[in-house]
Amino acid sequence: MSIFSENIHIRDVWADNLEEEMLKIRDIVQSFPYVGLDSRFPGVLMNCGKGNMTSSEYSYQILKENVNMLKLIQLGLTFFDGNGNLPTCGTDQYCVWQFNFQFDPREDLHDDTIELLSRNGLDFKNCKENVVAVFISFCHIFLTNIC
């Protein structure tokens, strides 16, 4: 099976299915030990003066300042084996995971990216009510189940 978007099932992870999805990941991680990460933050709010920094130093500083001040909305994980194959999780589609964290656009810092995310299907109502409430809890469960 070739990898095209119609062959990929994004497994949305919320508070009510976190442990179930962690068990699925634990089942596949031995055969698919490599992971690709994608993080979704609510935009870029801080730009600092470049000063004497090189272009890469400046880019790193902007990224660091924004990550430190903004909340993570989503974390995507794609597992694959040494040949680049993705797991199918017992289905006819490849599976990837999208973990959803607590975020309320009325209270949390963001830029206009929120409108784009909303238009593209991110359910902010669910991000307030049915989320992996604390990133620390996610990390604990992830490390307990996967490592």
Side-chain angles (χ1 to χ4, degrees):
M1 174 171 35
S2 58
I3 299 176
F4 292 102
S5 61
E6 64 269 7
N7 293 341
I8 296 178
H9 174 71
I10 299 173
R11 302 182 68 88
D12 267 305
V13 182
W14 301 94
D16 58 4
N17 68 339
L18 176 63
E19 291 194 36
E20 174 187 339
E21 293 301 325
M22 287 297 191
L23 291 174
K24 282 182 176 42
I25 291 172
R26 186 173 64 187
D27 289 345
I28 60 103
V29 77
Q30 293 299 320
S31 300
F32 299 90
Y34 301 97
V35 64
L37 289 153
D38 177 39
S39 58
R40 181 118 25 245
F41 285 88
V44 176
L45 295 180
M46 179 173 279
N47 284 309
C48 57
K50 190 171 180 180
N52 292 328
M53 291 184 274
T54 65
S55 181
S56 60
E57 289 172 329
Y58 177 71
S59 295
Y60 173 78
Q61 190 63 34
I62 294 294
L63 178 65
K64 180 179 183 260
E65 293 298 326
N66 280 280
V67 165
N68 286 342
M69 109 181 178
L70 298 171
K71 290 174 79 173
L72 180 63
I73 299 174
Q74 291 179 323
L75 177 68
L77 298 178
T78 300
F79 293 89
F80 52 98
D81 66 15
N83 295 317
N85 299 308
L86 278 65
T88 57
C89 303
T91 70
D92 61 349
Q93 292 183 304
Y94 297 109
C95 56
V96 299
W97 283 264
Q98 181 170 274
F99 292 83
N100 298 282
F101 298 102
Q102 190 169 15
F103 186 83
D104 185 347
R106 293 172 296 162
E107 298 175 12
D108 297 316
L109 293 173
H110 62 84
D111 69 6
D112 293 340
T113 303
I114 294 301
E115 293 170 15
L116 174 67
L117 294 172
S118 189
R119 282 194 309 268
N120 285 294
L122 184 57
D123 182 357
F124 285 106
K125 184 177 187 299
N126 226 7
C127 278
K128 184 177 179 194
E129 298 171 1
N130 181 25
V131 292
V132 179
V134 182
F135 188 69
I136 302 298
S137 296
F138 163 79
C139 292
H140 173 73
I141 293 171
F142 187 81
L143 293 173
T144 302
N145 282 286
I146 306 306
C147 297

